[in-house]
Amino acid sequence: MEEINQELVPQEPAGKDKGKGDAYDKISIMLYNTEKLEEKHIRLSEVKDYKKLLDDEGAYQLWINLDDDYDESVVESICEIFSIHSLVKEDIIEKGQRPKVEDYEHYVFVVAKMIYYKEDRLTLEQLSFIVGNRYLITFGDEEGDVFDSVRNRLRKEGSLIRREGTDYLLYSLIDSITEGYFNVLETMGEKIDLIEEKVISSKTNEEQKEIRELKKDLLFIHKFSWPLREVTSWLAREESLVLNKSTKVFFDDLSSQLIQVIDTTDTYRELLSGLIEISLSNISYRLNEVMKVLTIISTIFMPLSFIAGVYGMNFKYMPELGSRYGYLITWIVMIVIAAFMVYYFKKKKWF
Amino acid sequence: MEEINQELVPQEPAGKDKGKGDAYDKISIMLYNTEKLEEKHIRLSEVKDYKKLLDDEGAYQLWINLDDDYDESVVESICEIFSIHSLVKEDIIEKGQRPKVEDYEHYVFVVAKMIYYKEDRLTLEQLSFIVGNRYLITFGDEEGDVFDSVRNRLRKEGSLIRREGTDYLLYSLIDSITEGYFNVLETMGEKIDLIEEKVISSKTNEEQKEIRELKKDLLFIHKFSWPLREVTSWLAREESLVLNKSTKVFFDDLSSQLIQVIDTTDTYRELLSGLIEISLSNISYRLNEVMKVLTIISTIFMPLSFIAGVYGMNFKYMPELGSRYGYLITWIVMIVIAAFMVYYFKKKKWF
Amino acid sequence: MEEINQELVPQEPAGKDKGKGDAYDKISIMLYNTEKLEEKHIRLSEVKDYKKLLDDEGAYQLWINLDDDYDESVVESICEIFSIHSLVKEDIIEKGQRPKVEDYEHYVFVVAKMIYYKEDRLTLEQLSFIVGNRYLITFGDEEGDVFDSVRNRLRKEGSLIRREGTDYLLYSLIDSITEGYFNVLETMGEKIDLIEEKVISSKTNEEQKEIRELKKDLLFIHKFSWPLREVTSWLAREESLVLNKSTKVFFDDLSSQLIQVIDTTDTYRELLSGLIEISLSNISYRLNEVMKVLTIISTIFMPLSFIAGVYGMNFKYMPELGSRYGYLITWIVMIVIAAFMVYYFKKKKWF
Amino acid sequence: MEEINQELVPQEPAGKDKGKGDAYDKISIMLYNTEKLEEKHIRLSEVKDYKKLLDDEGAYQLWINLDDDYDESVVESICEIFSIHSLVKEDIIEKGQRPKVEDYEHYVFVVAKMIYYKEDRLTLEQLSFIVGNRYLITFGDEEGDVFDSVRNRLRKEGSLIRREGTDYLLYSLIDSITEGYFNVLETMGEKIDLIEEKVISSKTNEEQKEIRELKKDLLFIHKFSWPLREVTSWLAREESLVLNKSTKVFFDDLSSQLIQVIDTTDTYRELLSGLIEISLSNISYRLNEVMKVLTIISTIFMPLSFIAGVYGMNFKYMPELGSRYGYLITWIVMIVIAAFMVYYFKKKKWF
Amino acid sequence: MEEINQELVPQEPAGKDKGKGDAYDKISIMLYNTEKLEEKHIRLSEVKDYKKLLDDEGAYQLWINLDDDYDESVVESICEIFSIHSLVKEDIIEKGQRPKVEDYEHYVFVVAKMIYYKEDRLTLEQLSFIVGNRYLITFGDEEGDVFDSVRNRLRKEGSLIRREGTDYLLYSLIDSITEGYFNVLETMGEKIDLIEEKVISSKTNEEQKEIRELKKDLLFIHKFSWPLREVTSWLAREESLVLNKSTKVFFDDLSSQLIQVIDTTDTYRELLSGLIEISLSNISYRLNEVMKVLTIISTIFMPLSFIAGVYGMNFKYMPELGSRYGYLITWIVMIVIAAFMVYYFKKKKWF
């Protein structure tokens, strides 16, 4: 990339110990100050060298990013280099964390959940951040994903993000994540509209499974957006050595955006509950319609069949049978009964 | 308008650069002090001139209003003139904001949602306010709408609004918006009453769709009135350079009015839920009625048809068939059975 | 009334300007100290005279009461005399207020809702109170209603209410209102018991409308008792120039009584929800019963009718038809089938 | 009782003014210090004498207990002797109180609700406590009930309760009451288990009435345990002249026991709601079963009856009728149809 | 075990008074400092000796564990040795406690609930902890269960747990318990997935009983995880003599883990409620299907049977009967009717 002016840490020849499992490809760094930017993949062993640069006069800031499939030993090494608490290390490795923020005096540890649709399925990814004085370590992004827009902004010389500290970089990344939440919610909104149309005209209860799926997804979004909001409002509120006062207003903005996320999930859940109600009511209503048809048919033909049955009896002395107009009169009677029944149901507005 | 005594900023000839896209029609200002009022449409380039007037001795106050369809560049220019934070700018342009208030020391930024019925559909409009020392900038009102009553009050010399600061002007505008909420709720109350009557006498479940629509509308009102109340209670509570203490009591009053709005939406939602319950119960009940008819008919005619069927059999030796009174007795038996059935259902209060 | 010793403000001749619309009948006052009590209807123009008396040495206290159908100008005049804030004036005139309390340094403004059954319908009435130093102004009571018991106590020389300040008078009036809430709840409790009996033995779903009515009423009681409790707890808690410390314990007592009111509405709503559940379950259960009857009848007679139908066929070669005992055997078979069916349903406990 | 060493207040001859309505039997006292205990029934007029003893050097403590059916005058006299506030007096007499605690500087007033099953019905009893410096007055216990265990402990010389102050005595009594709540909940737990078994195997919806009864009972327990917990947590938290610091830990323990009570009522209510759900689902499910039977029977016999009907027609030219094997073939066709239907329903798993 | 270097308290000959009911097997201790570890079963009488060691210079820490089936006297003795408050003693013996923490200045008392699946049934076990200066007493673990992992860590020389105080030991044990909650929830998650599959394809409502069982289990987990979280957050927050500041961060971590537990129970309950909804909707939907079959059959065959019935009548003068093509035409008419019905239902999408 053309913005890189010089390499601050001389790179060892690429072929040397690559393949030794030194996780060469997994660690990418961006070292920058207002003037310079260095961006490359480094080996675990080089991390220490870059850390030293931070104490130099160049006012450099360092962003170390580890891909999703790092192994524990790498996390351990990095935590050692930056003297990170052992609990933090465990939280990074253990994937089932809730979003949270923890203040360890010289650095702040943040866990967040990225959320997106992948092949129409809601997918979660855990991201961990350690933000210290002039360094930010991120764990878990599959390179080229959500963080790319931030990387691009960093590459632009003179951009705000180049001038601000690593806390602003943290804000930018969480902002990216938050945008992901909005995207997911938008997709959901469209899905709900689609289902609504289907439910209203539907003859089956198949939509209920779709509704259930969406409800489950909303449960998960709610589950992770709620604590993420707590994280951002903590970052906007608390005093910490590594958070500049000027960045607080940005986290405050994030916090109010996340309230919007939570609000929207609540609204969506109510809408889905309403759809289930409609779906159930439709089933009941169609049952009613079916039963009306059955009842109308039965009520018309049962008396008629009875009459036919009567004159099918084989009694010897049935005066009507011999009558010249018996058959005709029977038909007339039957038609009158049927007509009366139809009138009755019309009046009752059954059809 | 006759109240305008003189033009404080000499207007350039109208024909000059109009049409150059200087957004001439979109920016309207009202410059006033207790004695004078100037009201006109200005170009973007003139805003700066009016701003300078505020530092003059005339104790002028300035209200700048931008119409709904401003483009980003206009917002940007104005924000630059008044040195507004970039986050504020983004919030103004981005329409999907939640109502909120943010204090930036020298000015306060407020987002609110106006709500009204337009062709029987609930319509939302986002309004943004920047209130600073002696100036108020509003974004998003289609001219001549909710703000007109406030404009009229401003035009009256000696009115309270002319004597008070821009914070009171802000109060007056939010008060207008709040009144809009009440109007919407009133319309809704009438709609609910109408639906209630329909539901009770209804034979279908069509009302449920209407109920659902109303419920959705209430969700939206709730969604925007809640944070608006937070905004007003913030304005009533917090200390700020641009809010006079004497205006706090007015915001407090707004806040308690908005609690009334929220309360009413809650009450309405419970009423609508009750209506759905009634509608569902009606469906069940009508099913019951239908089934009773079917059962009565079946229970009466099945035994009769059976008897008729028996004597329609062609066995050679059926002593009853030859009997002189067989036919008569059969009729009597059938009538007795039918009568008994009718009696039975009467006793069971089925009809 | 015989307690009135002398008239402190000389009354103008009654016939003089009565009928001039000076609202003579609508303003009633009670002026009292521990020793004297004056009680009469006055004109608007006389209010000022009575106000002056309060600054005298007689340690008089003044209760001014305006009837429900005062017009705005009267409220305005009185507010002017006692220099009341314009927001208060508006709140008094505007009827749709939520109960609230507002402290304006030299006086406290209270809005409350009186509630009672009138011809079996829940009725609301808004009452406003302005309590200042040695005066209390009440708006909205139809004379002779809830306040009469308080008036009677005032008339008794030596009573506590005569010895205490206007804040105690305020307490007594709100206490009267609270008692009204309890009366309404008691009536409701009886109604719920009645409906419960009806629902359990009912064959229709008509009770659901009654339940809905009661639920609506409870919503309203809840809506107004909740803020009233906030009012009383405010009065028990906050420091104010016009509230004596010794009166706080009384407002505290009111507050805990209103919690009881709110609690009871909650309990009643759960009871009513339970009743709807029972009513719906009854409908379902009766449907079951109806269907059982239908099924039993069908299941018994369909096979029998089929058999009869078979031997009603006109095939030439049907050996059974010629048999001597064919008819008898057919009957036996049919009875056996019917008996088996009955046994089967008995075993399944269908009847 | 043998622990009574001497009578501290010389008793007037029993026969003297007994029967004068001096409520001789209703007031029982226990006067004790670490060494001595006097326990007897006294007249109202004697209360004053015992009160004087408290100021003596003997470090006596006095527990006065009034039975449930005291009349107002007695309460009034006692309140006068101990200079109790008039609101307290009213709260004692008025039975419909919510549990509460009120601090009147020199004494603390507590209202609690005792709860127990009496002939399988939940019964409430209001108890009031006034605890002052070295005296405790209790109102409302039917002698020999919940307080007996406490009395027995008091009678034991050297017991903790004899050594501690009246605040510990208050704790012991409320502890007794709390135990009553647990007993009631235990009984309820058993009832719920019983109903659950019944509901699952039930054919009717009769259990719903029982469930409703239990739900009502839980509402009442919840209603009174919640404020009682507030009372105990107040007693554990607040500073008061009459509460020793060492007793606070005991009230804290009570408070956490009452949270357990409230928790359990919540759990029980959810269980009961689940039971109603099951009961309703059972009804629906049984309806399904009934309808299946009806449908199977109809679907098998309707086509068969139709065939029989066809060959029961009297057309002159019906070739099948003359056929030698017509009857046989018809039977075969009918059996095939029936078999197919049975196979169809088996495949659909209808039975 | 090889780590035990020497016995600090000389053990009495094993055979001496074993069997005297001195609860020899039930009390196990672990005495350790950074260098040494002694682990054995001791008699009640020896506890005192070990306690004395704590005041020695060896900086020993003592963990005393009592098995589940201790009797009261043992608890009493131990409480006496460590001068524990009598309320604590009662709470240990009484099994129905809610998780809680209580601070008694020189020691902290903690109650927790262990939860696990035993033969597919959720099982609860109450554990009590008394943590004091350099000693921890645990009550209630069946040896070799949850605490074994902690024991193993203790046995490793140089491990963190050996270097930290008894508060860290307490953390480790509660951490073990918390892990148990996660295990249970994982098992539940799998169960829910299984039931979901069953419900969707089910023809009965049997799954509802399983769902109910799971819901009950979730109620219990919720009931005990909630207060446990309060316990851990108390331990993370409050100042106490026996809790080191460095341990607080660990309890904070536990606290956030328990929030995850509670969150998950909530999510699971919503999922289960959704399943019940689906199950009920399935029942309704199947009823619909059943009724459609019945209606189709009835609607087709009733008219046909009626026609057959008509021509089965025995009137003398029925012109159709003599017609050569009467029978054929009748069949055609019947087939047309049937075909029309089938077409009608197809159009209505009934099958």
Side-chain angles (χ1 to χ4, degrees), chain E residues 173-230:
Chain E
L173 295 171
I174 301 184
D175 190 41
S176 266
I177 294 171
T178 307
E179 202 142 322
Y181 278 85
F182 278 107
N183 293 341
V184 164
L185 284 179
E186 208 173 313
T187 313
M188 269 191 172
E190 290 160 15
K191 285 188 176 199
I192 291 174
D193 283 349
L194 272 175
I195 292 182
E196 178 158 9
E197 276 173 45
K198 273 203 257 178
V199 163
I200 284 169
S201 64
S202 168
K203 301 269 176 198
T204 68
N205 65 346
E206 262 161 45
E207 293 78 20
Q208 288 182 14
K209 275 166 224 163
E210 276 183 70
I211 293 171
R212 182 170 166 78
E213 284 308 314
L214 275 177
K215 267 192 150 177
K216 264 179 163 176
D217 287 354
L218 280 171
L219 275 178
F220 281 101
I221 295 177
H222 190 90
K223 191 174 169 179
F224 295 114
S225 53
W226 190 260
L228 189 55
R229 197 204 73 90
E230 277 169 33

Side-chain angles (χ1 to χ4, degrees), chain D residues 86-323:
Chain D
S86 62
L87 275 178
V88 168
K89 198 190 65 198
E90 279 171 32
D91 284 347
I92 294 168
I93 292 162
E94 179 64 57
K95 284 298 178 195
Q97 295 296 317
R98 255 182 125 231
K100 66 176 174 183
V101 60
E102 275 166 5
D103 186 15
Y104 290 85
E105 218 170 331
H106 291 292
Y107 55 94
V108 166
F109 173 58
V110 173
V111 178
K113 291 277 178 180
M114 201 165 63
I115 218 160
Y116 51 88
Y117 270 107
K118 197 174 173 177
E119 291 158 20
D120 216 45
R121 294 197 51 159
L122 204 63
T123 313
L124 279 175
E125 210 169 294
Q126 178 172 320
L127 302 176
S128 307
F129 305 84
I130 297 167
V131 57
N133 192 17
R134 288 167 57 194
Y135 66 88
L136 171 73
I137 318 175
T138 55
F139 299 85
D141 181 44
E142 296 180 14
E143 207 187 337
D145 229 35
V146 273
F147 290 176
D148 260 9
S149 69
V150 177
R151 274 192 197 95
N152 282 330
R153 280 204 274 153
L154 258 183
R155 281 167 196 146
K156 251 184 245 160
E157 208 173 323
S159 64
L160 182 62
I161 200 168
R162 279 280 278 279
R163 279 177 282 136
E164 295 282 341
T166 45
D167 52 346
Y168 186 85
L169 181 57
L170 175 69
Y171 153 74
S172 305
L173 295 171
I174 301 184
D175 190 40
S176 265
I177 294 171
T178 307
E179 201 141 324
Y181 278 86
F182 278 106
N183 293 340
V184 164
L185 284 178
E186 209 172 314
T187 314
M188 268 192 173
E190 290 160 14
K191 285 188 176 199
I192 292 175
D193 283 349
L194 271 176
I195 291 183
E196 178 159 9
E197 275 173 45
K198 272 203 258 177
V199 163
I200 283 169
S201 64
S202 167
K203 302 268 175 199
T204 69
N205 64 346
E206 261 161 45
E207 293 79 19
Q208 287 182 15
K209 277 166 225 162
E210 275 184 70
I211 293 172
R212 183 170 165 77
E213 284 307 315
L214 275 177
K215 268 192 151 179
K216 265 178 163 175
D217 287 354
L218 280 171
L219 275 178
F220 280 102
I221 296 178
H222 189 90
K223 192 175 168 176
F224 295 114
S225 53
W226 189 261
L228 189 56
R229 197 205 72 90
E230 277 170 32
V231 166
T232 53
S233 90
W234 188 97
L235 291 167
R237 182 169 23 85
E238 297 292 318
E239 297 295 317
S240 164
L241 286 179
V242 299
L243 297 172
N244 293 312
K245 225 182 150 185
S246 64
T247 325
K248 293 212 172 301
V249 68
F250 291 101
F251 283 114
D252 205 51
D253 191 62
L254 269 189
S255 185
S256 80
Q257 279 185 43
L258 281 164
I259 290 181
Q260 234 168 310
V261 167
I262 295 163
D263 257 37
T264 311
T265 59
D266 286 345
T267 309
Y268 281 2
R269 274 159 84 177
E270 287 217 33
L271 289 180
L272 288 175
S273 292
L275 278 180
I276 291 227
E277 239 169 27
I278 287 193
S279 172
L280 286 172
S281 148
N282 272 352
I283 292 176
S284 296
Y285 187 66
R286 278 195 305 271
L287 182 60
N288 242 347
E289 294 304 294
V290 169
M291 293 318 295
K292 277 185 192 167
V293 170
L294 177 59
T295 305
I296 290 169
I297 291 290
S298 302
T299 311
I300 290 175
F301 283 102
M302 276 196 162
L304 303 191
S305 287
F306 165 66
I307 291 171
V310 164
Y311 295 109
M313 293 194 295
N314 298 319
F315 285 104
K316 262 197 183 128
Y317 305 96
M318 288 176 68
E320 300 97 322
L321 294 184
S323 151

Side-chain angles (χ1 to χ4, degrees), chain A residues 96 98 100 204-205 208 212 216 269 283 287 290-291 304 308 311-314 321-322 324 327 330, chain E residues 196 253 259-260 263 270-271 278 281 285 288 291 295 298 306 311-318 320 350:
Chain A
R98 256 180 127 232
K100 65 176 175 184
T204 69
N205 65 345
Q208 287 182 16
R212 181 170 167 77
K216 265 179 163 177
R269 275 159 83 177
I283 293 177
L287 183 60
V290 169
M291 294 317 295
L304 303 191
Y311 293 110
M313 293 196 293
N314 299 319
L321 293 185
R324 187 84 185 90
Y327 182 53
T330 304
Chain E
E196 178 158 9
D253 191 62
I259 290 181
Q260 233 169 309
D263 256 38
E270 287 215 35
L271 288 180
I278 287 192
S281 147
Y285 186 66
N288 243 347
M291 293 318 294
T295 305
S298 302
F306 164 66
Y311 294 110
M313 293 195 294
N314 298 319
F315 285 104
K316 261 197 185 131
Y317 306 97
M318 288 175 71
E320 299 97 323
W350 279 21

Side-chain angles (χ1 to χ4, degrees), chain A residues 86-348:
Chain A
S86 61
L87 274 178
V88 168
K89 199 190 62 197
E90 281 171 31
D91 283 349
I92 294 168
I93 293 163
E94 180 63 57
K95 286 296 177 196
Q97 295 297 319
R98 256 180 127 232
K100 65 176 175 184
V101 61
E102 275 166 8
D103 186 15
Y104 289 87
E105 219 168 331
H106 291 292
Y107 56 93
V108 165
F109 174 58
V110 172
V111 179
K113 293 276 179 181
M114 200 165 63
I115 218 161
Y116 51 89
Y117 269 107
K118 197 174 172 179
E119 292 157 19
D120 216 45
R121 294 197 51 158
L122 204 66
T123 313
L124 278 175
E125 211 170 291
Q126 178 172 321
L127 300 176
S128 308
F129 305 83
I130 298 166
V131 58
N133 192 19
R134 289 166 54 194
Y135 67 87
L136 170 73
I137 317 175
T138 54
F139 298 84
D141 179 42
E142 298 180 14
E143 207 187 338
D145 230 37
V146 271
F147 290 176
D148 260 10
S149 68
V150 177
R151 272 192 200 97
N152 283 330
R153 279 203 275 153
L154 257 183
R155 283 170 195 146
K156 251 184 248 161
E157 208 171 322
S159 64
L160 181 64
I161 199 168
R162 277 282 276 280
R163 279 177 282 136
E164 294 282 340
T166 45
D167 52 345
Y168 186 84
L169 181 56
L170 175 69
Y171 153 74
S172 304
L173 295 171
I174 301 184
D175 189 40
S176 266
I177 294 171
T178 307
E179 201 141 323
Y181 279 85
F182 277 107
N183 292 341
V184 164
L185 285 179
E186 207 173 312
T187 314
M188 269 192 173
E190 290 160 16
K191 285 188 177 201
I192 291 174
D193 283 349
L194 272 176
I195 291 182
E196 177 157 11
E197 275 173 46
K198 274 203 256 176
V199 162
I200 283 168
S201 65
S202 168
K203 301 270 175 197
T204 69
N205 65 345
E206 261 160 45
E207 293 77 21
Q208 287 182 16
K209 276 166 224 163
E210 276 184 70
I211 294 172
R212 181 170 167 77
E213 284 307 314
L214 275 177
K215 267 193 151 178
K216 265 179 163 177
D217 288 353
L218 281 171
L219 275 177
F220 281 102
I221 295 177
H222 189 91
K223 192 175 168 177
F224 295 114
S225 54
W226 190 260
L228 189 57
R229 197 204 73 90
E230 278 170 33
V231 167
T232 53
S233 91
W234 188 98
L235 290 167
R237 185 170 19 88
E238 295 293 318
E239 297 294 318
S240 164
L241 287 180
V242 300
L243 297 172
N244 293 311
K245 228 184 150 184
S246 64
T247 326
K248 294 213 171 301
V249 68
F250 292 100
F251 283 114
D252 205 51
D253 191 61
L254 270 189
S255 184
S256 82
Q257 279 185 42
L258 283 163
I259 290 181
Q260 233 169 311
V261 167
I262 296 163
D263 257 38
T264 312
T265 60
D266 286 345
T267 308
Y268 281 4
R269 275 159 83 177
E270 287 216 35
L271 288 180
L272 289 175
S273 294
L275 278 181
I276 292 227
E277 239 168 27
I278 287 193
S279 172
L280 286 173
S281 148
N282 272 352
I283 293 177
S284 296
Y285 185 65
R286 279 196 302 274
L287 183 60
N288 244 346
E289 294 304 294
V290 169
M291 294 317 295
K292 276 184 191 168
V293 170
L294 177 59
T295 306
I296 290 169
I297 290 291
S298 302
T299 312
I300 291 176
F301 284 101
M302 276 195 162
L304 303 191
S305 286
F306 165 67
I307 291 171
V310 163
Y311 293 110
M313 293 196 293
N314 299 319
F315 285 105
K316 264 198 184 129
Y317 305 97
M318 288 176 69
E320 298 98 322
L321 293 185
S323 149
R324 187 84 185 90
Y325 301 105
Y327 182 53
L328 190 67
I329 290 166
T330 304
W331 263 119
I332 289 167
V333 167
M334 293 197 295
I335 285 163
V336 166
I337 288 174
F340 172 78
M341 286 297 178
V342 170
Y343 168 78
Y344 175 79
F345 291 125
K346 275 264 187 238
K347 219 188 76 184
K348 277 209 153 183

Side-chain angles (χ1 to χ4, degrees), chain D residues 320-333:
Chain D
E320 300 97 322
L321 294 184
S323 151
R324 189 86 186 86
Y325 303 104
Y327 182 52
L328 189 66
I329 289 165
T330 304
W331 262 120
I332 289 168
V333 167

Side-chain angles (χ1 to χ4, degrees), chain B residues 65-91:
Chain B
N65 180 47
L66 267 88
D67 266 18
D68 189 28
D69 50 352
Y70 48 79
D71 39 46
E72 287 188 36
S73 62
V74 180
V75 175
E76 228 158 299
S77 312
I78 286 183
C79 284
E80 211 168 298
I81 294 166
F82 290 89
S83 32
I84 305 296
H85 197 286
S86 62
L87 274 177
V88 168
K89 198 191 63 197
E90 281 171 31
D91 283 349

Side-chain angles (χ1 to χ4, degrees), chain E residues 262-320:
Chain E
I262 295 163
D263 256 38
T264 312
T265 59
D266 286 344
T267 309
Y268 281 2
R269 275 159 82 177
E270 287 215 35
L271 288 180
L272 288 175
S273 293
L275 278 180
I276 292 228
E277 238 170 26
I278 287 192
S279 172
L280 286 173
S281 147
N282 272 352
I283 292 177
S284 296
Y285 186 66
R286 279 196 303 272
L287 182 61
N288 243 347
E289 294 303 295
V290 169
M291 293 318 294
K292 277 184 191 166
V293 171
L294 177 59
T295 305
I296 290 169
I297 291 289
S298 302
T299 312
I300 290 176
F301 284 101
M302 277 195 162
L304 303 192
S305 287
F306 164 66
I307 291 171
V310 164
Y311 294 110
M313 293 195 294
N314 298 319
F315 285 104
K316 261 197 185 131
Y317 306 97
M318 288 175 71
E320 299 97 323

Side-chain angles (χ1 to χ4, degrees), chain A residues 201 203-204, chain E residues 292 343-351:
Chain A
S201 65
K203 301 270 175 197
T204 69
Chain E
K292 277 184 191 166
Y343 168 78
Y344 175 80
F345 292 125
K346 274 265 185 238
K347 221 188 75 185
K348 278 210 155 183
K349 295 216 177 106
W350 279 21
F351 58 91

